[in-house]
Amino acid sequence: MPFGLSAAEAETRRVLVDGIPEWMSASILPWIWREIVAPRSTLALLERVRGIETSCLLSLEAPTVGFYGPMVTPMTQIQKLDDQHILRIVDYLLSQHHMGAAEVTKVREILHHGCSRWTIGQVGRSPRLVERVPSGVQDAAEASIVSGGAAGALLGHAWFKVHIYEPDDSGAYAAAVKAVEAASLPALGITDEEATLGNTIRAIEGGGWGLPFVREHRKAPSHDVLLGMLRCLWRGHRDRHGSVDYSDVDHDEALAAVTLAVTLVGWFAGGAVRSVIDR
């Protein structure tokens, strides 16, 4: 927090902003410009601009290079773009492996200190714009991703698909289901290579499985809670089959599914789902 903020100003800084407010644009736009003009040759500079155009669905003025460097640049057009397109350009530039760690850190600091809703995350080998989430939620997700083996890798795909700047909601939901399948099937001793989350649900329905709570609530035994979460995830995946009234899952559905999968993968991969008969 800057020194001497009033209560109202401090409250404003607690609200994450989705776009690029005035206090952030003066830093973000020069960062974009430096990344665009980083190539020394005219050909490489033009190639960088054409990459932005094709990936971000834009038409920009081709830069020319004179004795003192770029003379006519696409920045005059970029400055007039809406916030969504500017952030899309930032995301594209991050993804291209052109910059070093210092430049990635620089844009992360701009976003952080500017109270942006977005930050930098690692997606595969590339830094990308991802949605900021509470640190406790991020820690729980990363713990399941790291310790979950194959299921954790799938969960990682689901997490980033739903939190990247332009999310793939259907892909995130599908990956979340696959992650829970990969964690639950071996934990329950299901070896059928064609098995799905439906097999997991039927195995739990058969009884004998729960969570390691010594005290169970009679109205919400852990067996029923576990089964309810699995059924919710399975039933909510409404775009897995085509139909006359087909529609993709929306972002809130995908976000809920991925968050649910974080817990389920953590339970199954961590051995928390166990036979209640043996207790």
Side-chain angles (χ1 to χ4, degrees):
M1 290 288 186
F3 173 75
L5 292 185
S6 67
E9 288 173 324
E11 186 61 31
T12 298
R13 287 193 59 92
R14 292 190 181 96
V15 179
L16 299 180
V17 295
D18 191 19
I20 303 176
E22 293 179 1
W23 61 81
M24 200 188 306
S25 63
S27 299
I28 282 288
L29 290 172
W31 180 88
I32 291 174
W33 173 229
R34 288 196 303 272
E35 290 306 312
I36 289 176
V37 301
R40 294 295 181 181
S41 71
T42 306
L43 182 60
L45 180 61
L46 182 59
E47 186 176 319
R48 184 76 56 91
V49 171
R50 293 295 176 249
I52 292 173
E53 288 181 319
T54 55
S55 297
C56 302
L57 306 180
L58 295 169
S59 177
L60 300 174
E61 184 177 354
T64 59
V65 178
F67 183 77
Y68 294 105
M71 303 294 290
V72 180
T73 78
M75 281 306 296
T76 53
Q77 295 159 285
I78 290 176
Q79 290 170 349
K80 298 175 183 178
L81 295 174
D82 58 37
D83 291 355
Q84 181 182 14
H85 281 93
I86 292 175
L87 285 171
R88 189 178 289 171
I89 291 172
V90 172
D91 185 53
Y92 168 76
L93 291 171
L94 285 167
S95 74
Q96 294 305 295
H97 309 288
H98 292 311
M99 65 197 68
E103 284 302 311
V104 175
T105 299
K106 178 65 176 178
V107 73
R108 180 185 286 112
E109 290 176 349
I110 293 171
L111 295 168
H112 177 75
H113 293 302
C115 300
S116 175
R117 174 186 167 190
W118 306 99
T119 186
I120 310 300
Q122 195 72 17
V123 182
R125 296 184 303 159
S126 304
R128 297 287 300 275
L129 281 185
V130 296
E131 190 174 18
R132 287 172 68 177
V133 297
S135 58
V137 177
Q138 181 77 30
D139 291 343
E142 289 181 354
S144 293
I145 291 168
V146 170
S147 63
L154 288 166
L155 183 61
H157 290 312
W159 182 263
F160 287 116
K161 282 177 182 290
V162 83
H163 286 294
I164 57 177
Y165 180 61
E166 294 181 294
D168 174 7
D169 295 321
S170 290
Y173 203 122
V177 171
K178 291 177 181 177
V180 175
E181 290 173 341
S184 63
L185 294 171
L188 299 174
I190 300 172
T191 58
D192 182 359
E193 294 183 357
E194 302 297 324
T196 66
L197 193 57
N199 296 82
T200 295
I201 291 170
R202 286 189 288 275
I204 301 294
E205 284 174 336
W209 297 97
L211 300 169
F213 296 115
V214 175
R215 296 181 62 189
E216 295 263 10
H217 196 292
R218 62 183 181 84
K219 292 184 178 180
S222 63
H223 168 271
D224 293 355
V225 172
L226 176 62
L227 185 57
M229 292 171 68
L230 290 165
R231 285 172 172 165
C232 181
L233 182 65
W234 181 243
R235 180 64 177 172
H237 193 194
R238 59 187 172 87
D239 65 352
R240 68 182 181 276
H241 299 301
S243 64
V244 176
D245 58 348
Y246 174 90
S247 62
D248 291 331
V249 297
D250 62 30
H251 185 64
D252 288 340
E253 290 175 298
L255 185 59
V258 172
T259 305
L260 189 58
V262 168
T263 299
L264 289 168
V265 169
W267 282 348
F268 281 109
V273 178
R274 58 188 66 172
S275 173
V276 296
I277 298 173
D278 298 334
R279 291 206 299 233

